[in-house]
Amino acid sequence: MKLFTEYPEKAEEKYSALVAQAAKANIENLYKEADRALRDTHAKTHACVKGTLEIFDFDEAAIQETLKQRTALTDTQIERMALKQGLLAAPKQYPVWLRFANGRSKVMNDYESDTRSMSVKIIGVEGERLPQSHETQTQDIITQNAEIFFIKTIKNYYGFFTSVMKGGIFPLVWLLLHPKQFSALKSITSRYPKSLLTERYWSGSASTLGLPSNFDPSQSGQVPVTYPAVVKYAFTPVASQSPYRQLPYESRPEADRDRAKAESKQGTQDNYYRDELIQNLASPEAKHCWAFEIQVQTRPDMPIDDVAVVWPEADAPFFKVGRLTVAHQLVDFDQQCDFCENLRFSPWNGLAVHRPVGALNRLRSRIYTLIGEYRHQKRGTEYREPNGQESFE
């Protein structure tokens, strides 16, 4: 295994095609009689929230020096990196839309074990775009409150997804036959944050930071491809004032989850996270911040293609390159909910220099396009790229 290199998966095209076929059949079956279709994963939207992402004039030389001192990267590997490019090229403030959601493929009560996601749409990002982009001046970064994903290969994804389609005991049987995946799933769904506005989020999968001079995109997934650098992203909650210290994790009280579970038996739906977002941001003093961070792959055994493996921070430190801020706003509008459901997010919507890499990201290129187009066709609406000036008051 080589550093900064993605590798094709065995029978990748076969299983990618099978997943796409299954995903299309599943969503058509779920929503054939409905007026609209939800996303096939992360189906429950809590809210869409406006924010600002500030990219810092960070010290590239200092980051390179830290990498030399704390990692096994060679001087040559470090010197070939260009950290200040694409979204990170220059200090700037960008408007963003954030979509907060649960991870399950069905709309469930919030006391259920699950991942919680924050999809970030950065607006006004200029530069050469990925051909798969569905927008012209945005960069999407999709994150969840877990460092990893529990599925490691496209073949695994196909097996689990088809078991979910069958329903009943089939998903559990698949997980029992794949104990490492089962353990990873239990690990990533074990958090019940007190607020989604103070939670840490990771990209899980990796993206490039720059492209090789002779890059041929058709080779990705066909032969090994080596890039100048590969990184993961994180949004780490910090205090809203200088020195912006990292906030500790806080959990939703177990007694509150138990109460919501009991009330659900009487027909009351548990929408804790949406309610908390609405109430929290309604306060005129509301202000929440995250440090925007990048983590450089520093060893070949920190895999790009297997997203079920953590890149340890002790060996691959995160570096702050910006700050995401969300302040007081009202988010409980019907039109805003409709706008949020209409938004499309994809790791493949953005700049070419931030190309997503790894087997599951290549699968996402196919599936996200398929599901996104189906959703908008079902809604009968023409998709409009957000400009950050939307208002629903």
Side-chain angles (χ1 to χ4, degrees):
M1 303 288 285
K2 291 176 59 180
L3 195 71
F4 306 148
T5 303
E6 62 173 343
Y7 292 85
E9 188 174 310
K10 186 177 180 181
E12 177 171 328
E13 178 55 32
K14 171 188 172 182
Y15 284 104
S16 289
L18 285 171
V19 172
Q21 182 180 347
K24 184 176 182 181
N26 182 57
I27 198 167
E28 288 179 343
N29 181 60
L30 286 172
Y31 299 109
K32 60 184 176 182
E33 303 298 334
D35 294 331
R36 65 174 188 169
L38 301 179
R39 294 163 173 85
D40 64 329
T41 59
H42 300 269
K44 184 177 184 177
T45 301
H46 302 304
C48 271
V49 174
K50 271 187 177 181
T52 301
L53 179 65
E54 178 186 3
I55 301 299
F56 296 155
D57 186 15
F58 58 89
D59 191 335
E60 185 173 26
I63 292 176
Q64 290 175 328
E65 184 60 32
T66 300
L67 289 171
K68 288 179 182 179
Q69 294 177 3
R70 293 185 53 184
T71 73
L73 293 172
T74 67
D75 289 356
T76 300
Q77 289 169 330
I78 293 170
E79 289 163 3
R80 286 177 178 173
M81 292 180 193
L83 302 180
K84 288 194 171 185
Q85 56 181 311
L87 175 67
L88 310 180
K92 188 175 179 180
Q93 288 195 351
Y94 295 94
V96 301
W97 275 109
L98 309 173
R99 175 182 180 258
F100 293 96
N102 284 348
R104 289 177 182 256
S105 58
K106 296 180 180 179
V107 176
M108 306 285 282
N109 286 307
D110 290 350
Y111 62 74
E112 301 280 359
S113 61
D114 207 346
T115 55
R116 322 293 168 176
S117 63
M118 182 175 76
S119 298
V120 183
K121 187 173 291 293
I122 308 160
I123 299 169
V125 182
E126 299 179 347
E128 181 185 352
R129 300 190 64 76
L130 290 158
Q132 298 89 340
S133 294
H134 59 268
E135 294 171 352
T136 62
Q137 288 194 335
T138 57
Q139 177 73 47
D140 291 353
I141 300 177
I142 297 177
T143 63
Q144 64 176 6
N145 64 338
E147 295 174 86
I148 59 171
F149 189 49
F150 74 101
I151 298 291
K152 62 183 295 182
T153 65
I154 297 173
K155 183 178 180 180
N156 267 177
Y157 192 95
Y158 175 67
F160 181 71
F161 186 75
T162 51
S163 76
V164 171
M165 288 178 63
K166 292 176 183 177
I169 66 168
F170 287 99
L172 178 59
V173 169
W174 189 92
L175 289 166
L176 290 171
L177 293 172
H178 298 79
K180 289 185 178 180
Q181 312 304 302
F182 198 6
S183 176
L185 177 61
K186 288 188 287 186
S187 173
I188 69 175
T189 58
S190 63
R191 293 167 69 97
Y192 296 88
K194 182 178 180 181
S195 172
L196 300 184
L197 294 166
T198 54
E199 183 71 330
R200 191 179 189 189
Y201 301 92
W202 293 264
S203 64
S205 61
S207 300
T208 64
L209 198 48
L211 298 174
S213 58
N214 59 345
F215 179 64
D216 179 355
S218 68
Q219 296 299 296
S220 177
Q222 302 295 320
V223 299
V225 179
T226 300
Y227 299 92
V230 169
V231 302
K232 292 184 178 183
Y233 303 112
F235 290 93
T236 300
V238 295
S240 59
Q241 295 180 342
S242 180
Y244 300 102
R245 289 191 171 89
Q246 183 173 341
L247 298 179
Y249 172 70
E250 291 187 82
S251 178
R252 179 185 180 184
E254 187 173 353
D256 186 56
R257 302 204 312 267
D258 291 341
R259 176 194 53 78
K261 188 173 183 178
E263 291 178 353
S264 72
K265 295 178 181 178
Q266 309 302 319
T268 302
Q269 190 173 13
D270 179 28
N271 295 316
Y272 171 85
Y273 290 114
R274 174 169 175 78
D275 294 342
E276 198 282 332
L277 282 166
I278 292 170
Q279 294 169 16
N280 190 319
L281 293 174
S283 169
E285 294 78 31
K287 185 179 180 182
H288 299 276
C289 296
W290 292 263
F292 177 40
E293 302 169 318
I294 59 170
Q295 181 186 34
V296 180
Q297 184 195 30
T298 58
R299 298 200 317 259
D301 62 351
M302 295 175 182
I304 292 171
D305 293 283
D306 184 352
V307 292
V309 177
V310 174
W311 290 6
E313 291 190 44
D315 301 315
F318 276 97
F319 297 100
K320 294 180 180 65
V321 294
R323 185 182 305 118
L324 173 64
T325 302
V326 168
H328 161 69
Q329 59 193 280
L330 303 179
V331 298
D332 190 18
F333 297 102
D334 290 342
Q335 284 186 324
Q336 188 164 352
C337 292
D338 192 60
F339 164 80
C340 194
E341 286 303 312
N342 195 47
L343 281 180
R344 282 178 62 182
F345 291 89
S346 169
W348 290 89
N349 180 58
L351 301 186
V353 294
H354 301 311
R355 179 184 178 86
V357 289
L360 285 180
N361 266 334
R362 295 193 294 272
L363 176 65
R364 290 164 99 185
S365 171
R366 194 169 193 162
I367 302 304
Y368 278 47
T369 300
L370 185 156
I371 299 299
E373 290 178 351
Y374 180 86
R375 286 176 48 239
H376 287 96
Q377 177 187 357
K378 192 70 177 175
R379 291 169 66 88
T381 58
E382 181 179 349
Y383 186 71
R384 294 184 179 180
E385 179 174 340
N387 58 25
Q389 302 302 313
E390 293 83 6
S391 177
F392 306 97
E393 297 185 30

